[in-house]
Amino acid sequence: MRYLFAALLLLVTALSQGKEVAFTFDDAPRKATGYFDGPTRAKTLLQVLETHEIPQVAFFANTSNLTGERLERLRRYGDAGHIIANHSHTHPNFNTQELQAYIDDVNEADQILRDFPTFKPWFRFPFLREGNTAAKRNGMRKFLDEHGYINAYITLNNYDWYIESLFQEAVAEGKRVDLDRLRRFYLDVMIAGIEYYDQMAIQHIGRSPKHILLMHEMDISALFVGDLADALRNRGWSIISPEEAYTDDIASYRTPSVLKYNAGRIGEIAYDKGQKTDLWHETLNEGYLRARFTAEVLTPETAPAGSRVKTPRAE
Ligand SMILES: [Zn+2]
């Protein structure tokens, strides 16, 4: 009886422990010439993080266009206390680039980013591609180890960058975009992906790890990251710092597999445990997102009153 009670207590403790996630933004400072200009994006994003009590996120920077307003924008993120880390100089595709050229590119970004006061030697692989041959994969592991770097993996993958491109395309074409609809669409897609990879983690490692959410430094992130934090907290999640997230045991996991495409750390573990399909959630698909964006977000052209024809909709 005593053992049963202890087991029950353990179970209740495990269930009541909230899920945890850290927020990270890649490709900073990304081009900003659409809905927001660069300074407005930075100001909006920083304000939202502050008002939603998210004290620290990480920005993974590309340095090849780091001048003028874009340099200023990255400095603002660092000055606000957020981590600045390495996402390479030119965002190369490791599947098509040789190891030494790839290392040179990462080194170049390192030289530029080290001056930022909140710099961390964390490397986020562009496209999450970690080497399509054992030699390249091992070469980058050795390089990172020797230079005091960690592989700043993600656990929660998504195509937020594609939602942004659909949004910016609509803005550029002068279409009316209802921001409330866009918010609902964004939250629905992001949460579906987050819950999918969390379930995959529970299935393969038996627990919900300290997660790292992939996002990008873009207008929809600035617009909706606070709503995303609210929605996650309402579902029992808490937002933690990236530093805390990378203390999870899965941080030391090194896949024995050579993967041309990588769905993230949970996807790697699942693959190594025998799951060979469905490593990418259905929302990680351009056609899927475009169809839903068109149906759910774009405001239909306003027809003169009374002339609208109600068409039956197939469910
Ligand atoms: Zn990137």
Side-chain angles (χ1 to χ4, degrees):
M1 189 64 194
R2 201 157 16 122
Y3 293 112
L4 183 66
F5 180 73
L8 273 174
L9 194 68
L10 208 66
L11 183 70
V12 168
T13 310
L15 287 174
S16 63
Q17 265 173 358
K19 297 169 187 289
E20 297 175 309
V21 59
F23 287 176
T24 66
F25 301 90
D26 282 14
D27 303 356
R30 217 167 185 260
K31 199 172 113 185
T33 53
Y35 187 77
F36 286 142
D37 60 17
T40 312
R41 178 191 293 167
K43 185 176 166 224
T44 307
L45 183 50
L46 287 172
Q47 263 174 7
V48 168
L49 291 173
E50 197 181 333
T51 55
H52 286 76
E53 293 171 355
I54 303 165
Q56 193 174 67
V57 301
F59 290 91
F60 288 89
N62 298 118
T63 48
S64 62
N65 289 309
L66 205 57
T67 54
E69 184 278 319
R70 288 168 85 155
L71 174 60
E72 189 52 38
R73 203 181 335 150
L74 197 64
R75 285 211 181 109
R76 283 180 75 176
Y77 295 137
D79 290 346
H82 300 296
I83 290 164
I84 304 296
N86 192 334
H87 193 40
S88 79
H89 188 59
T90 63
H91 209 279
N93 176 358
F94 203 10
N95 284 349
T96 55
Q97 195 169 46
E98 294 306 318
L99 176 63
Q100 191 54 53
Y102 195 84
I103 285 176
D104 291 346
D105 197 272
V106 176
N107 255 328
E108 195 160 353
D110 178 84
Q111 298 297 311
I112 296 165
L113 294 170
R114 278 197 179 268
D115 291 338
F116 283 79
T118 55
F119 172 78
K120 294 266 179 217
W122 296 356
F123 182 60
R124 169 76 45 86
F125 283 89
F127 310 104
L128 309 178
R129 290 172 192 169
E130 303 188 6
N132 59 326
T133 67
K136 284 161 78 172
R137 184 201 64 187
N138 296 344
M140 265 312 281
R141 284 179 181 173
K142 184 163 173 275
F143 169 82
L144 296 177
D145 285 346
E146 287 177 356
H147 292 78
Y149 263 83
I150 64 161
N151 171 359
Y153 64 89
I154 58 102
T155 64
L156 303 171
N157 201 351
N158 58 69
Y159 270 22
D160 70 334
W161 52 271
Y162 193 68
I163 301 176
E164 172 84 0
S165 74
L166 291 168
F167 171 50
Q168 298 293 355
E169 180 186 300
V171 169
E173 287 171 1
K175 289 185 179 149
R176 287 174 54 200
V177 179
D178 182 325
L179 287 187
D180 284 328
R181 290 191 194 197
L182 181 60
R183 175 184 293 109
R184 279 195 294 275
F185 173 65
Y186 173 81
L187 292 178
D188 190 67
V189 167
M190 293 294 279
I191 294 216
I194 288 168
E195 289 182 341
Y196 183 77
Y197 286 106
D198 186 49
Q199 280 307 310
M200 196 189 277
I202 290 166
Q203 184 188 339
H204 291 290
I205 64 175
R207 66 189 174 88
S208 180
K210 294 180 193 296
H211 281 288
I212 294 118
L213 176 64
L214 172 66
M215 288 185 275
H216 291 82
E217 193 261 343
M218 315 178 295
D219 292 349
I220 55 165
S221 308
L223 284 166
F224 305 132
V225 70
D227 299 293
L228 183 62
D230 290 346
L232 286 167
R233 283 168 173 152
N234 286 338
R235 285 168 171 77
W237 291 73
S238 43
I239 318 298
I240 58 173
S241 73
E243 277 186 287
E244 192 186 339
Y246 285 121
T247 64
D248 196 282
D249 284 347
I250 62 168
S252 59
Y253 185 79
R254 291 194 173 185
T255 177
S257 308
V258 175
L259 303 167
K260 190 171 180 186
Y261 303 106
N262 191 320
R265 181 63 41 103
I266 302 304
E268 283 176 332
I269 293 171
Y271 181 86
D272 293 337
K273 296 214 170 192
Q275 181 179 333
K276 305 299 182 197
T277 58
D278 301 321
L279 296 169
W280 280 264
H281 185 242
E282 66 175 350
T283 54
L284 282 77
N285 179 300
E286 295 177 20
Y288 171 94
L289 290 172
R290 182 177 284 277
R292 277 194 59 185
F293 179 84
T294 305
E296 297 173 32
V297 178
L298 290 181
T299 309
E301 290 308 315
T302 314
S307 74
R308 271 191 205 161
V309 181
K310 275 201 172 165
T311 47
R313 281 179 51 191
E315 290 305 323

